[in-house]
Amino acid sequence: MNIKQLVQKYFDRKGLPIRPALTFSDVTIATRYSDIARRSDLQDFNARLAKNFALNIPIVSANMEDVTGAGMAIALARAGGLGFIHQFFPIDQRVKEVQKVKRADNARIDRPLTIEAGATFGDALEKMKDHGISSILIVDGKKRLQGILTSRDYRFLTEKDHKRPVTALMKKMPLKTGDPRITAEEAVALFEKYKIEKLPLVDARGVLRGLMSAKDIEKKRQYPHAARDAKGRLVVGATLRLNADYLDEAKQLVAAGADVLLLDTARAGSEIVVTATKKIRKALPKAVLVVGNVDNPEHVELLVRAGADCIKVGIGPGARCKTRMVAGVGTPQIYAIASCAAAARELGAYVIGDGGIRGSDDFAKALVAGADAVMLGSLLAGTDESPGLLIRKGNQLWKQYRGSASLEHQLERIKKGSLDEVRNPEGESSPVAYAGSVSYVVKGLLDGLRSSMSYAGAHTVKELQEKASFLWVSDNGYEEGKPRS
Ligand code: XMP
């Protein structure tokens, strides 16, 4: 059976018409007999992006400049999802953003930030700022611990202190240190006993082997649903640029700790992307690789056979997308997700539904259609953790949200030297309302999803995907569902 026939079979089973192509507002999730007593009983939102990579909630953040830097990736991983560091940072900055996520909430840091004893306070400050952390360990040329500089040591210093040697400001040895094999519980006992916040780990020769941080142990307890790697660090995704040395970028990002690589282009159903996918898979056989965007099952098949684990689906549904208006292409998103997911399932691969999600209803519908996770742009762009600018208009707060192919974003890239000319903009730029914290937005989405699951009689997201089906609604049917006065 070829992919087209398999897709047809999937649609028949789901009771979906293969044409016309439907989108979020055209469908409603059919209710089913349910043995779920309380929505709060529903706690399993496990989502898989590859055979060897899972999340605790089916949400990833858009690899857009106004959505995902390290701050967003940290917040979303703490909530159980994954952030994709955007590709508009130069590669060295992308590497640093990945490292920031890997350091956050990490009870045991194997390679803590250090500086040599000959450095100035200014050098130390710059290094800490660069890595987004507030303390640094001072070592000699043989990596033996000499001291520690924490915010308490420099909080009130000014620029005139920048030239002072860091050794004059640090807390010197003997410091309280721990054995490199110490457990988190043993470290907590030492934090309490000595009233300290950081515990450098040194071996018998005094060589620095790691660092335990009280705050990070606390954070780990605070976020029990966080998505973590095998070492207990938050997970993070990072985006590759097709028109750069993507193999070198991929190796650098994996070395920095990226758990998932994303090769993202507007048209992934193309020879150049299939070739790139094959090369990345060959160079990094174990990497978790997401490739996108596509909107039809044949392209899913090509990319999965080329080596992708997961395919990002969506041509033109995004809140700031103009592709459909400019090029007259693109598939309505529910149809795109359903047909691509059907192909991916048969091939043992996964799909992310990217774009067009306006609330918890669309979120649940994308999952019912077969998405393993959704990618969110506009719903996350308004949060505290997005890098976009906060804008005050009258007494309302907004955050900047520019389509990646918008004129405004292209002009900024020209200014930064990463683009040479403005191309026909296929995106728009306008602010989104300020939305509070990522955790607040995620909670709203999960509460809505619990409700959908309870109506559909599904205990897990997987069950929702397998059991639930759609009804096709008329415009009047959709209108009927809106609150009226
Ligand atoms: P939402 O609806 O969540 O969509 O804001 C986010 C997704 O939109 C896509 N995107 C674009 N698509 N022109 C486009 O055609 C653009 O300028 C543009 N910028 C972002 C992208 O897939 C993102 O994840």
Side-chain angles (χ1 to χ4, degrees):
M1 216 185 270
N2 66 27
I3 284 293
K4 254 194 185 138
Q5 289 164 326
L6 287 169
V7 171
Q8 182 66 56
K9 200 176 98 189
Y10 173 87
F11 276 89
D12 290 346
R13 182 168 59 75
K14 284 245 161 186
L16 273 167
I18 196 142
R19 282 175 204 283
L22 303 178
T23 193
F24 296 106
S25 303
D26 297 321
V27 295
T28 180
I29 302 169
T31 56
R32 283 173 64 106
Y33 180 72
S34 166
D35 62 358
I36 296 158
R38 281 179 307 268
R39 292 170 194 184
S40 56
D41 291 344
L42 300 172
Q43 295 294 347
D44 184 347
F45 302 113
N46 202 272
R48 200 158 272 287
L49 298 189
K51 288 196 181 79
N52 54 347
F53 186 81
L55 297 172
N56 296 330
I57 60 169
I59 298 177
V60 303
S61 67
N63 49 302
M64 294 170 72
E65 188 153 7
D66 292 335
V67 181
T68 313
M72 174 62 66
I74 291 169
L76 203 50
R78 281 176 180 165
L82 178 83
F84 281 102
I85 303 294
H86 67 73
Q87 64 275 31
F88 305 105
F89 283 128
I91 183 62
D92 48 342
Q93 186 63 32
R94 256 174 287 160
V95 163
K96 279 185 192 153
E97 298 293 304
V98 166
Q99 287 169 339
K100 277 186 208 168
V101 183
K102 292 319 248 185
R103 281 216 173 91
D105 302 6
N106 184 6
R108 174 193 298 272
I109 300 158
D110 289 334
R111 270 177 289 164
L113 197 65
T114 60
I115 199 159
E116 286 215 8
T120 64
F121 168 54
D123 299 332
L125 210 54
E126 201 184 315
K127 204 161 178 183
M128 288 188 283
K129 201 169 152 216
D130 228 25
H131 288 82
I133 56 178
S134 62
S135 68
I136 194 162
L137 296 168
I138 294 85
V139 292
D140 68 11
K142 291 187 172 155
K143 298 264 174 255
R144 285 178 304 213
L145 183 65
Q146 304 296 302
I148 184 169
L149 187 77
T150 68
S151 52
R152 281 194 216 166
D153 304 311
Y154 62 81
R155 190 167 294 151
F156 299 110
L157 298 186
T158 60
E159 213 169 325
K160 67 179 172 19
D161 297 297
H162 284 193
K163 293 219 166 69
R164 291 169 70 185
V166 70
T167 45
L169 302 167
M170 69 184 189
K171 266 191 241 37
K172 296 189 181 61
M173 295 295 275
L175 295 170
K176 302 290 180 220
T177 60
D179 185 276
R181 286 158 302 184
I182 196 166
T183 64
E185 289 68 32
E186 287 164 346
V188 167
L190 293 182
F191 289 136
E192 281 173 0
K193 182 169 170 197
Y194 298 121
K195 311 269 177 271
I196 53 172
E197 290 273 314
K198 307 266 179 207
L199 186 72
L201 308 179
V202 294
D203 65 17
R205 289 173 297 136
V207 175
L208 182 69
R209 297 290 180 200
L211 177 73
M212 301 285 272
S213 141
K215 225 195 294 170
D216 289 336
I217 293 183
E218 210 180 312
K219 290 257 179 61
K220 215 165 170 177
R221 291 180 181 172
Q222 202 179 333
Y223 302 107
H225 303 299
R228 299 184 185 279
D229 65 17
K231 290 186 177 167
R233 304 174 299 178
L234 296 176
V235 294
V236 59
T239 316
L240 306 171
R241 291 176 56 142
L242 184 66
N243 55 1
D245 185 347
Y246 49 79
L247 279 186
D248 180 59
E249 286 194 357
K251 286 176 192 161
Q252 288 197 51
L253 291 165
V254 167
D259 301 273
V260 183
L261 295 174
L262 166 62
L263 181 63
D264 180 83
T265 69
R267 288 182 304 114
S270 58
E271 196 180 334
I272 181 173
V273 180
V274 170
T275 306
T277 304
K278 284 183 186 160
K279 285 190 184 164
I280 297 167
R281 176 51 71 217
K282 192 162 174 233
L284 294 161
K286 287 193 192 137
V288 176
L289 180 59
V290 180
V291 182
N293 278 19
V294 304
D295 68 350
N296 83 61
E298 282 87 4
H299 296 168
V300 171
E301 184 179 16
L302 286 172
L303 293 168
V304 171
R305 295 207 189 283
D309 295 293
C310 178
I311 306 298
K312 194 152 77 78
V313 176
I315 306 272
R320 297 293 178 270
C321 296
K322 248 171 70 181
T323 299
R324 294 199 191 155
M325 297 300 118
V326 172
V329 302
T331 304
Q333 187 67 349
I334 282 289
Y335 183 84
I337 293 174
S339 54
C340 291
R345 292 278 175 283
E346 293 298 331
L347 297 160
Y350 301 81
V351 295
I352 293 173
D354 173 20
I357 310 273
R358 297 158 298 178
S360 56
D361 53 344
D362 293 344
F363 175 39
K365 288 174 185 178
L367 299 175
V368 170
D372 295 285
V374 297
M375 177 172 268
L376 304 180
S378 51
L379 284 184
L380 294 175
T383 60
D384 293 316
E385 293 88 346
S386 78
L389 285 178
L390 192 63
I391 303 161
R392 184 183 292 278
K393 276 204 226 164
N395 54 7
Q396 283 229 307
L397 287 175
W398 303 80
K399 286 199 89 170
Q400 171 172 269
Y401 186 43
R402 296 160 302 169
S404 299
S406 66
L407 177 63
E408 290 77 356
H409 195 244
Q410 291 191 47
L411 289 175
E412 186 171 311
R413 285 164 63 199
I414 286 183
K415 234 195 284 167
K416 287 182 181 160
S418 65
L419 193 72
D420 358 301
E421 54 166 356
V422 172
R423 297 172 197 137
N424 193 10
E426 289 194 12
E428 294 205 331
S429 167
S430 64
V432 287
Y434 171 67
S437 67
V438 165
S439 65
Y440 181 75
V441 171
V442 168
K443 186 176 179 307
L445 290 172
L446 293 182
D447 281 349
L449 178 59
R450 276 191 191 93
S451 190
S452 317
M453 287 163 70
S454 65
Y455 280 112
H459 297 82
T460 63
V461 172
K462 193 156 186 278
E463 228 177 87
L464 184 73
Q465 289 174 329
E466 285 166 4
K467 281 189 176 175
S469 59
F470 289 127
L471 297 172
W472 183 5
V473 291
S474 62
D475 289 351
N476 287 333
Y478 186 71
E479 276 303 307
E480 182 184 61
K482 290 185 182 166
R484 293 173 297 276
S485 51

